[in-house]
Amino acid sequence: MRRGKPSVHRAYSEPLAVLTGDSLIVLGFEVLAKAATIVPERGIKLVLSLAQHTGVAGGICAGQGWESEPEIDLSAYHRSKTGALFVAATQMGATAAAQDEEPWHELGGRIGEVFQVADDLCDALHDAGTPSEPAGQDNLHGRRNTVTELGVDGARKRRRDILVGAIASIPSCPGEASLAQMVRMQAEQIMPVINPALVLVEGVVVEGLLAGTGSSPKTSMFKRRSARSI
């Protein structure tokens, strides 16, 4: 399930899902190529930027590849995986507006890290029964993430710190305050809606068997289960 709907490979088969992904990547370059006929210099820069941030050397493909490594630098992994696409978005926006793209690099990278930390929290704290992405996938596949490294509170603090840095890094521009507000609002929207009966404690999910009155569960009513099971 993805955002409450069956994923493409579930709805239409894995071969069609792979072909759809490949086609959408090519379509992105097609759109830029058509735009390049209007302002060739900017169009070439946009195509190059998209290629660099999706390819192997420093793009999302490299980040995905790191998931197969036994040891990774978590922050660098986040920057290469999700961060690369957000850097592409911020820098390509600047290029399209005929502005210097370099000042927008940090903002994109930090937004990407915020998104990834929030995604790690969602993976750890979402109830498996909610209609969203599958829960507990990082634990299931043995992937390191912010929650396993820092704990829930540490991951939340990490997210807050990165968000503060992201907003501070916004270059001076028209609409700067509105952009800061938008970044803040989007960061809040991607935070997990947590089942109050689930709390992650030292890598183990504690499921509170809540009383019918809705009062706080007593310690004796807790049932522990591995995070791998959700």
Side-chain angles (χ1 to χ4, degrees):
M1 299 291 285
R2 293 279 177 167
R3 298 171 184 85
K5 297 181 179 180
S7 57
V8 176
H9 79 279
R10 285 291 187 187
Y12 301 103
S13 79
E14 187 170 324
L16 286 180
V18 173
L19 286 172
T20 300
D22 292 344
S23 298
L24 288 172
I25 292 171
V26 175
L27 180 60
F29 286 97
E30 179 183 335
V31 170
L32 291 178
K34 288 178 178 178
T37 62
I38 303 172
V39 186
E41 288 186 3
R42 291 189 213 171
I44 292 171
K45 287 183 178 180
L46 291 171
V47 170
L48 178 60
S49 182
L50 180 60
Q52 289 175 331
H53 290 101
T54 54
V56 172
I60 192 170
C61 288
Q64 289 290 144
W66 278 24
E67 291 186 353
S68 301
E69 297 295 328
E71 296 293 332
I72 60 172
D73 180 319
L74 199 60
S75 182
Y77 161 59
H78 286 172
R79 288 195 299 271
S80 293
K81 186 183 177 185
T82 313
L85 289 185
F86 281 96
V87 170
T90 54
Q91 290 196 320
M92 290 171 70
T95 298
Q99 300 298 312
D100 182 8
E101 66 179 33
E102 190 55 36
W104 294 89
H105 184 283
E106 183 178 356
L107 174 62
R110 287 183 179 272
I111 292 175
E113 280 198 79
V114 168
F115 183 93
Q116 191 61 55
V117 173
D119 189 65
D120 289 349
L121 283 163
C122 285
D123 184 77
L125 298 177
H126 260 150
D127 183 356
T130 58
S132 183
E133 296 186 21
Q137 293 300 296
D138 286 340
N139 274 305
L140 181 63
H141 297 289
R143 293 193 294 253
R144 292 174 59 190
N145 62 39
T146 316
V147 176
T148 58
E149 292 286 309
L150 304 176
V152 173
D153 289 342
R156 285 175 171 161
K157 182 180 184 302
R158 173 70 176 156
R159 173 191 162 277
R160 287 194 298 269
D161 291 345
I162 299 170
L163 180 58
V164 169
I167 292 172
S169 74
I170 296 175
S172 179
C173 63
E176 182 179 343
S178 297
L179 178 57
Q181 180 64 16
M182 183 177 70
V183 170
R184 190 177 293 108
M185 289 177 60
Q186 289 296 318
E188 293 302 322
Q189 288 180 6
I190 60 177
M191 279 299 290
V193 178
I194 303 168
N195 182 339
L198 293 175
V199 183
L200 195 69
V201 179
E202 296 179 353
V204 176
V205 172
V206 179
E207 182 179 6
L209 304 179
L210 300 179
T213 59
S215 59
S216 299
K218 297 179 180 179
T219 304
S220 61
M221 298 176 68
F222 282 152
K223 178 175 66 177
R224 297 168 70 88
R225 63 179 180 178
S226 167
R228 292 176 181 270
S229 66
I230 65 171

